[in-house]
Amino acid sequence: MTAKKILFIVLDGISDRPCPALRGGTPLSAARKPVLDKLAAEGICGVMDTIAPGIRPGSDTAHLALLGYDPYKYYTGRGPLECVGTGIDMKAGMIGFRCNYATLSPEGKVIDRRAGRIHDTEALSKAIQEGVDLSKFGVEFIFRSGAGHRAALALEGEGLSHCVSSNDPKKEGVAPLTVKVLRTGEKEDKTAAVCNEFVKQSTKILFDHPINQARVEQDLAPANIVLMRGAGEMGDFEPFQKKYELSGSVISAASLITGIGKAVGLPHVEVPGITGSQNSNISGKVAAAIRELETKDFVLMNIKGADESGHDGLADQKKAFIEKIDPLLEPLLGLQDTIIIITGDHSTPVCIKDHSADPVPVLIRGEGVRMDDIVRYDEFSCAKGGLGRIRGVDLLPIALDLVNKSHKFGA
Amino acid sequence: MTAKKILFIVLDGISDRPCPALRGGTPLSAARKPVLDKLAAEGICGVMDTIAPGIRPGSDTAHLALLGYDPYKYYTGRGPLECVGTGIDMKAGMIGFRCNYATLSPEGKVIDRRAGRIHDTEALSKAIQEGVDLSKFGVEFIFRSGAGHRAALALEGEGLSHCVSSNDPKKEGVAPLTVKVLRTGEKEDKTAAVCNEFVKQSTKILFDHPINQARVEQDLAPANIVLMRGAGEMGDFEPFQKKYELSGSVISAASLITGIGKAVGLPHVEVPGITGSQNSNISGKVAAAIRELETKDFVLMNIKGADESGHDGLADQKKAFIEKIDPLLEPLLGLQDTIIIITGDHSTPVCIKDHSADPVPVLIRGEGVRMDDIVRYDEFSCAKGGLGRIRGVDLLPIALDLVNKSHKFGA
């Protein structure tokens, strides 16, 4: 009678605005998607502001909200989650940055913000980790390579702040910026000085490094400066399992999402062939989710392809992706004992080519749900559903109530 | 054209989840209830999260929210309201506990958590009040008997905290617990010490008391220890009449509800034959409410029976209770000049046998209300209503606006 498990499927960027190319429909409303519609028909639907009405969510803040961690409390910048994604063990209070390896010309101008899309930067990062010394500030650091030209920097020490700017000029042909304070304060002064010292020392190390000397000789852009941005303070995340008394896993190809999972203590399940793109192994993901639910209470699965089409402004491609994945979701129809939630993290309208604040459709299907009369999973239909209009941070508490894991407030 | 009075009827635990025994309906949706449906048809409907989506309300926190007192601000534990219920004049900042008289074996184990369901404990409570001395802590206390084996303890003094645990082992055959701090702090240390000293001294008094010696001789469980729990700090409740410029009354058989009324300065109206159960004198309550509204601006009436059936898991009984009370509400149809609000404090699904966070249906009927097209008062119908999905603390402000007692914010 009462479900025991929760399967939380985030169709990344799924929702949209009316598209003239689809005669005023959205990719989701125009798509043929009998499985999603059946799940909607068997459940209760609504729309959701992942953060709040009119606030455009990032994927990071959105997923924090969906996991019940208020991003206004836990999120100060993307850096710390990028650090987690590269494998750095971030502790509450550490300051994290997203970094790029970039190319500085002999005249001191940033001429390639991605250093010729260099990959395999492990040796460079090791040289920085071993060569840079911030001990005069009483600060320790961890610097790690990420995918391709990406990297992450974490600072640990007394009296640091995330309220500092970036050295990234955000365009090419100009000098890198000096990291500045974003508000007056001793911590900010110290952190900016630490950052500028880090850039100075690491640039020296990179200029002299044999890998870069070889790249110059091969006419490749050397990775001779680190651009850092997205400063944030690592939040004091109460572990998911403790907070909700639920064991869980994350299934996603996106390192940002698996990083968020890791930050709250949710392990990542490896699935072969998942890409975070149109060609991902969705069947493998669905099978993995169903398998995980045999032993876990909660699975968060992110399916990314629709977001990509939204960013690229391709309405037909977005619709086609939805039609492609819909039959692959069919195994969900047989799931018993499980609250299935299907929603988005944000809209990615093809007319915007970026995230928007338009609310996302949400359906909840499973034992004990008060079914409404909505039979289609799309932006227009769900807006008439029995759930009404809710917020992202409310969704997990609603699911916990349905699986009888809520605690009464009061008596 | 504008109503002047507010009648606020809380059908305790009225709402539910779909019940297989009722072919997927709820007790409310399956019940024949022409009066409630007529009120819905003449008004505007919606659903309400009494606290917030996914948060399971207690009856106490729910009623605070419905009276417009944010429970996150005013509620730290049930103790203070229990104290009010026993007649203790609780001042803001006092620490209150719910207590039970219980039975301790000669070996020091709790062998009956209700002391043989003793009643008439006035003499024992008087002995405790006169015999226990907490003056070495600079603390005064008030100890009062409640109904049956129940009692309440209030502490008053400098440097006290509600963040202490209970001495109640919650099961029988084990020793009582020591009261401990729930967070580190001087106030917590002091309060825990006060509680343990209270238990020590009161246990001595109770062991020696002639009533208990007589009970032992008669083979009755002696009431020789006080178990205390639900520590809370009394909130600084702005009196209802001052806060809203409305005179008012409470009609309820439940001492918790009348206690909340008393805490905010709403007197309780005595009605003969009300029981808080299936057999209550509902007609008497309705008549009393209508009579009160001749002189008062606001009446809160709580009808408890459906909650009882929910806790007992009896769908048919819950439906039958709704069908039984519906015709008794008929006099409300003739009420003029009055905003009638009918809602629940929480859902009590028969499949859960406890409160759940599923939103409650709400109807508002009276002069000036924007009628919608909902003609049935139940969970599914109200979810489509013109009120949308609101929260408990919003309901009284909406009613105040309708009776023209709202003040403009701004100019």
Side-chain angles (χ1 to χ4, degrees):
Chain A
M1 266 303 290
T2 302
K4 290 188 180 62
K5 315 269 181 168
I6 302 169
L7 173 57
F8 204 148
I9 300 180
V10 179
L11 302 175
D12 207 300
I14 191 75
S15 45
D16 214 294
R17 292 185 181 170
C19 301
L22 300 171
R23 282 184 266 170
T26 63
L28 186 61
S29 76
R32 201 185 115 72
K33 42 166 179 40
V35 176
L36 284 167
D37 288 344
K38 186 152 202 289
L39 289 166
E42 293 175 357
I44 186 169
C45 296
V47 290
M48 181 172 72
D49 302 290
T50 325
I51 312 286
I55 305 300
R56 290 189 168 179
S59 284
D60 43 14
T61 51
H63 278 79
L64 284 175
L66 293 175
L67 290 170
Y69 296 85
D70 182 353
Y72 287 110
K73 178 176 170 195
Y74 287 97
Y75 187 86
T76 54
R78 182 150 165 177
L81 297 172
E82 292 283 333
C83 288
V84 172
T86 66
I88 298 175
D89 180 22
M90 294 293 286
K91 296 185 187 71
M94 285 170 74
I95 309 296
F97 297 84
R98 314 168 64 178
C99 299
N100 281 4
Y101 277 102
T103 306
L104 205 61
S105 70
E107 298 77 34
K109 298 209 165 132
V110 175
I111 52 172
D112 186 337
R113 287 182 63 250
R114 295 186 184 90
R117 287 199 176 271
I118 191 172
H119 46 91
D120 193 10
T121 61
E122 294 290 342
L124 295 175
S125 296
K126 188 157 177 280
I128 289 173
Q129 184 70 57
E130 289 170 0
V132 172
D133 180 5
L134 302 174
S135 61
K136 70 173 173 180
F137 298 100
V139 168
E140 297 196 46
F141 76 95
I142 305 168
F143 187 77
R144 285 273 171 86
S145 289
H149 59 284
R150 296 181 195 86
L153 170 68
L155 302 178
E156 188 170 21
E158 292 292 305
L160 295 174
S161 164
H162 68 276
C163 294
V164 295
S165 69
S166 165
N167 69 332
D168 184 349
K170 295 276 170 76
K171 56 183 177 184
E172 294 168 353
V174 296
L177 306 175
T178 301
V179 175
K180 299 215 167 98
V181 303
L182 293 178
R183 64 178 184 206
T184 54
E186 272 180 42
K187 289 182 177 185
E188 288 71 21
D189 286 340
K190 172 173 170 175
T191 309
V194 168
C195 292
N196 290 317
E197 181 69 21
F198 175 84
V199 173
K200 187 178 147 196
Q201 292 186 29
S202 60
T203 302
K204 171 94 178 61
I205 290 165
L206 292 170
F207 257 92
D208 297 342
H209 198 281
I211 287 180
N212 279 327
Q213 290 177 348
R215 284 179 72 86
V216 170
E217 275 163 31
Q218 296 159 38
D219 229 16
L220 294 172
N224 56 14
I225 186 167
V226 171
L227 298 178
M228 51 200 293
R229 63 200 160 102
E233 180 180 331
M234 183 65 180
D236 189 7
F237 293 100
E238 186 181 2
F240 187 89
Q241 178 143 12
K242 183 161 173 235
K243 188 174 165 82
Y244 301 121
E245 298 165 35
L246 295 176
S247 60
S249 315
V250 171
I251 299 176
S252 173
S255 64
L256 185 65
I257 310 304
T258 57
I260 288 170
K262 214 184 285 184
V264 302
L266 290 176
H268 170 222
V269 180
E270 295 285 343
V271 180
I274 66 172
T275 63
S277 189
Q278 306 274 323
N279 61 354
S280 191
N281 174 13
I282 304 297
S283 290
K285 277 187 162 175
V286 171
I290 292 172
R291 202 167 49 239
E292 279 294 298
L293 286 168
E294 289 171 14
T295 56
K296 299 289 182 70
D297 303 316
F298 173 85
V299 170
L300 169 68
M301 178 165 85
N302 177 290
I303 295 178
K304 190 87 179 164
D307 180 57
E308 194 179 56
S309 305
H311 280 287
D312 290 343
L314 300 172
D316 285 326
Q317 191 195 68
K318 191 168 176 179
K319 171 170 169 278
F321 179 75
I322 294 163
E323 292 181 339
K324 180 183 143 187
I325 64 166
D326 186 78
L328 309 179
L329 300 175
E330 196 173 6
L332 302 180
L333 292 172
L335 258 189
Q336 299 281 318
D337 225 21
T338 304
I339 297 297
I340 300 176
I341 298 178
I342 299 184
T343 188
D345 50 349
H346 49 73
S347 300
T348 311
V350 295
C351 63
I352 302 274
K353 296 187 181 179
D354 203 347
H355 303 180
S356 79
D358 301 281
V360 298
V362 52
L363 76 83
I364 306 180
R365 180 261 206 186
E367 291 84 349
V369 163
R370 288 184 189 159
M371 283 169 62
D372 58 20
D373 50 11
I374 305 302
V375 296
R376 292 168 89 63
Y377 179 70
D378 63 52
E379 300 87 339
F380 309 104
S381 305
C382 287
K384 295 185 237 170
L387 265 184
R389 183 169 185 156
I390 60 173
R391 296 204 181 191
V393 290
D394 296 328
L395 195 50
L396 195 59
I398 289 172
L400 289 169
D401 182 52
L402 286 167
V403 297
N404 227 356
K405 286 277 190 177
S406 284
H407 295 286
K408 219 187 291 186
F409 172 40
Chain B
M1 264 306 291
T2 303
K4 291 188 180 60
K5 315 271 181 167
I6 301 169
L7 173 57
F8 204 149
I9 300 179
V10 179
L11 302 175
D12 207 300
I14 191 75
S15 44
D16 215 293
R17 292 183 182 172
C19 302
L22 300 171
R23 281 185 266 170
T26 63
L28 186 61
S29 77
R32 203 185 112 75
K33 43 168 179 38
V35 175
L36 284 167
D37 288 344
K38 186 151 203 289
L39 288 166
E42 293 175 358
I44 186 169
C45 295
V47 290
M48 182 172 71
D49 301 291
T50 325
I51 312 285
I55 305 299
R56 291 189 167 179
S59 284
D60 42 16
T61 52
H63 278 80
L64 284 175
L66 293 175
L67 290 170
Y69 296 84
D70 180 355
Y72 287 109
K73 179 175 170 194
Y74 287 98
Y75 187 87
T76 53
R78 181 148 164 179
L81 296 171
E82 292 282 333
C83 288
V84 171
T86 66
I88 299 175
D89 179 22
M90 293 293 285
K91 295 184 189 71
M94 286 170 75
I95 308 297
F97 298 84
R98 313 167 65 177
C99 300
N100 280 4
Y101 278 102
T103 305
L104 205 60
S105 71
E107 299 77 34
K109 297 208 167 132
V110 175
I111 51 172
D112 186 336
R113 288 182 63 252
R114 298 189 182 89
R117 288 200 176 269
I118 190 172
H119 48 87
D120 194 10
T121 62
E122 294 290 343
L124 296 175
S125 296
K126 188 158 177 279
I128 290 173
Q129 184 68 58
E130 288 170 0
V132 172
D133 180 5
L134 303 173
S135 61
K136 70 172 172 178
F137 296 101
V139 168
E140 298 196 44
F141 76 95
I142 306 169
F143 188 78
R144 285 276 170 84
S145 290
H149 59 284
R150 296 183 194 85
L153 169 67
L155 302 177
E156 188 170 21
E158 291 293 306
L160 296 174
S161 164
H162 69 276
C163 294
V164 295
S165 69
S166 165
N167 69 331
D168 185 349
K170 294 275 169 77
K171 55 184 176 183
E172 293 167 354
V174 295
L177 307 176
T178 301
V179 175
K180 299 215 166 98
V181 303
L182 294 179
R183 64 178 184 207
T184 52
E186 273 180 41
K187 289 182 176 185
E188 288 70 21
D189 286 339
K190 173 171 169 176
T191 309
V194 168
C195 291
N196 290 317
E197 180 68 22
F198 174 85
V199 172
K200 187 178 147 196
Q201 291 187 29
S202 60
T203 302
K204 170 96 179 62
I205 291 166
L206 292 171
F207 256 92
D208 297 341
H209 199 281
I211 287 180
N212 279 326
Q213 292 177 346
R215 283 180 73 86
V216 172
E217 276 164 30
Q218 294 160 43
D219 229 15
L220 293 172
N224 54 14
I225 185 167
V226 172
L227 298 179
M228 51 201 293
R229 63 198 160 104
E233 179 179 331
M234 182 66 179
D236 189 8
F237 293 100
E238 186 181 3
F240 188 90
Q241 177 143 13
K242 183 161 171 235
K243 188 173 165 82
Y244 301 120
E245 298 166 34
L246 295 176
S247 59
S249 316
V250 171
I251 300 175
S252 172
S255 63
L256 185 66
I257 310 303
T258 57
I260 288 171
K262 213 184 283 183
V264 301
L266 290 175
H268 170 222
V269 180
E270 295 284 346
V271 180
I274 66 174
T275 64
S277 190
Q278 306 274 323
N279 62 354
S280 190
N281 175 14
I282 305 296
S283 290
K285 276 186 163 175
V286 172
I290 293 174
R291 201 166 52 240
E292 279 294 299
L293 286 168
E294 290 170 12
T295 56
K296 298 286 182 72
D297 303 315
F298 173 86
V299 171
L300 168 69
M301 179 164 85
N302 177 291
I303 295 178
K304 190 88 180 165
D307 180 57
E308 193 179 58
S309 304
H311 280 285
D312 291 342
L314 301 172
D316 285 326
Q317 191 195 69
K318 192 168 176 179
K319 171 171 169 275
F321 179 74
I322 294 163
E323 292 181 337
K324 179 183 144 186
I325 65 167
D326 186 78
L328 309 179
L329 300 175
E330 197 173 6
L332 301 180
L333 292 172
L335 257 190
Q336 299 284 318
D337 225 21
T338 304
I339 297 297
I340 300 176
I341 298 177
I342 299 183
T343 189
D345 50 349
H346 50 73
S347 299
T348 311
V350 295
C351 63
I352 302 274
K353 297 186 180 179
D354 202 347
H355 304 179
S356 80
D358 300 280
V360 297
V362 50
L363 76 82
I364 307 180
R365 181 261 205 185
E367 291 83 348
V369 163
R370 290 187 191 156
M371 284 170 61
D372 59 20
D373 52 9
I374 305 302
V375 296
R376 291 166 91 59
Y377 179 69
D378 63 54
E379 299 87 340
F380 307 103
S381 306
C382 287
K384 295 186 231 171
L387 265 183
R389 185 168 185 158
I390 61 172
R391 295 203 182 193
V393 290
D394 296 328
L395 194 50
L396 195 60
I398 289 172
L400 289 169
D401 183 50
L402 287 166
V403 297
N404 230 354
K405 285 276 192 178
S406 284
H407 295 287
K408 219 186 297 186
F409 172 44

